[in-house]
Amino acid sequence: ADCSKSEVWKIMILDPFTTKLLSSCCKMSDLMAEKITIVEDLFKSREPVPEMKAIYFMSPTAKCVESFIADFKTNPKYKAAYVYFTDYCPDDLFNNMKLYCSKYIRVCKEINMNFMPLEAQVFSCDNPGAFKSIYSPKSQDKQKTLEELADQLVTLCATLDEYPGQYGEYKDLCGTSGQKAQLLILERGFDPVSPLLHELTYQAMAYDLIDIQNDTYKYKSKDGLEKQAILNEDDMLWVKLRHKHIAEITIRNLAQMMKKMPSIRKQLTEKTAHLQLAEDCMQCFSNNVEKLCKAEQDLAVGSDVDGLKVKDPMRTLLPVLLHPYSTQDKIRAVLLYIFSLGGTTDENLSKLIQHVKIEDEREFILNWKELGVPIITPSFFSRKSSRRDRSQDETYNLSRWTPVIKDVMEDAVENKLDAKDWPHQSECPAAWNGSGAVSARQKSKTTQDERRSGSRLIIFVLGGICFSEMRSAYEVNQAVKSCEVIIGSSHILTPTSLLNDIKALSKGPMETFTIEERSNA
């Protein structure tokens, strides 16, 4: 709006973070409508276009500001600059810009949007490296990383126009408290089970079993051509399907859904992509995952399909260890076994590690202690929290586990959070309970617009969230119409990426440095 008064076409210049950010919210056609003719990379060499104005949307880092200054310092590349930062710009960088470029800068604003809006109710700080910085015993930048994530959270609250009144880790993150929103901050170790289970809802299953990079699913069509589908909010069918159990995704169901969605132009290609992806998931399921799921669910829930308590978890684990599953599947099962016991003995752990043949990779298991998860008993921090009774809920036999975060969300909404776990909490908004108490299991007929005027519950997890936790936000949102649930994290994880991150926790920062040095030599 700042520069749309003139009818002149403009150039937009982005850094890698803002490129991703903008791609998640708009298409090139939206930018064309704003008279933006071309989008360029701030760090790549660009041809000067001295008759055009340039819009810079960038992070307030030294690297970005240096590149910006270089565009104007000696031979100005553009007629004028409209500068927008995702966050607060430090004084020294701002003063440098003033010093060298002030006569070219028409506008300079901080727009407070230093996070990635991934889905309607999910955001990310786009920082997978935060896991190692926060949890590695050899980390040298834990405090810096926590401060950066806190700053990003502040921009989220600013964008949503919220001043939350409740925090898990930081007491006074956003100034005034007790307004509309509640912000809960959790550490990844609060629920080690959910990210390791084989989930059978479509999104979680696809990202676990199929190689999907950058939300892009690549497949061969029936005529043998290489195709790809981008799984994001633009694909209406994906949005409708992603939280459904794989058992509900049949050709008939898909066809019926498409009929109800006349807005889909690329109907056939989207339908084909999802049929192929669902088929790929089912292929993995029938080959391996089905047998694994029963054992995993029994270990996670602590009881079998009939509700009988699992008295000897080793009997549940053994068939998994004796079957030729992949090493990673066995590691996941061993971990679920250890979590179910609240830790095991040194001797037992050694036997398990030998059995899975990971003597050289025992960090996959041992490093969970860095997240405060008990691996060896006796453990000092083992305090099993009681779970909500969901025995009356209708579930599939192989999907009986409910992520712990769903309990947290429902407890927050019903004002039942334990003060021992949440020492900094404020009263939650009257809209959620009191006279108008709403249980997460009550279906209310409130409209979408009425909910917007209700309250928000913002959940942030330090060290990654998994897809079943993202799904929980949508489920509680559906059930409690007076509250909008938003969930976010440093990054989104899959079982594979989490295990790799856990394993890497014991590597020091120096080791990666020496490897790089050697490859350059």
Side-chain angles (χ1 to χ4, degrees), residues 5 68 91 100 131 152 180 209 263 287 305 321 368 398 437 452 496 521:
K5 296 172 190 71
F68 169 75
D91 290 349
Y100 297 110
F131 188 86
Q152 288 180 279
K180 282 200 304 184
L209 303 178
S263 57
N287 287 355
V305 173
L321 298 183
W368 283 87
L398 298 181
R452 292 289 163 261
T496 307

Side-chain angles (χ1 to χ4, degrees), residues 260-324:
K260 289 181 194 159
M261 296 164 70
S263 57
I264 295 185
R265 296 251 169 79
K266 315 181 286 284
Q267 281 202 354
L268 218 58
T269 40
E270 290 194 346
K271 184 175 163 185
T272 317
H274 288 295
L275 277 175
Q276 188 59 51
L277 181 52
E279 201 176 292
D280 287 356
C281 288
M282 282 311 292
Q283 185 75 44
C284 298
F285 176 73
S286 47
N287 287 355
N288 261 337
V289 176
E290 187 172 3
K291 291 190 194 76
L292 271 171
C293 278
K294 185 191 177 311
E296 288 181 356
Q297 291 290 318
D298 290 359
L299 289 170
V301 179
S303 55
D304 65 13
V305 173
D306 304 318
L308 295 172
K309 192 174 184 310
V310 174
K311 289 199 176 70
D312 181 5
M314 185 49 92
R315 288 181 67 171
T316 308
L317 176 67
L318 237 116
V320 176
L321 298 183
L322 297 172
H323 193 278

Side-chain angles (χ1 to χ4, degrees), residues 206-207 210-218 228-231 494:
Y207 276 82
I210 312 299
D211 184 26
I212 295 171
Q213 301 292 336
N214 300 322
D215 302 324
T216 306
Y217 165 57
K218 295 184 175 169
Q228 60 179 46
I230 294 173
L231 307 173
T494 61

Side-chain angles (χ1 to χ4, degrees), residues 331-430:
I331 291 171
R332 284 163 75 168
V334 165
L335 283 164
L336 291 169
Y337 161 80
I338 294 170
F339 300 156
S340 75
L341 294 171
T344 185
T345 62
D346 264 326
E347 186 188 357
N348 196 20
L349 183 61
S350 295
K351 282 183 188 157
L352 290 168
I353 284 171
Q354 280 169 353
H355 201 102
V356 184
K357 300 186 175 62
I358 52 163
E359 287 89 343
D360 299 338
E361 301 180 299
R362 51 184 65 221
E363 297 87 6
F364 277 129
I365 293 173
L366 292 177
N367 283 353
W368 283 87
K369 68 178 187 298
E370 307 299 350
L371 276 67
V373 177
I375 295 297
I376 302 292
T377 45
S379 159
F380 298 108
F381 32 53
S382 175
R383 185 168 80 85
K384 274 210 166 176
S385 53
S386 56
R387 296 295 312 267
R388 279 180 171 248
D389 176 17
R390 298 185 188 271
S391 51
Q392 299 313 304
D393 295 5
E394 278 183 44
T395 54
Y396 289 88
N397 287 346
L398 298 181
S399 303
R400 288 170 286 132
W401 170 263
T402 302
V404 175
I405 214 157
K406 192 170 181 185
D407 288 7
V408 172
M409 291 167 179
E410 291 180 348
D411 285 348
V413 169
E414 294 172 23
N415 222 0
K416 289 180 183 166
L417 286 175
D418 187 330
K420 283 200 291 291
D421 295 330
W422 303 93
H424 305 307
Q425 58 181 308
S426 59
E427 282 299 297
C428 79

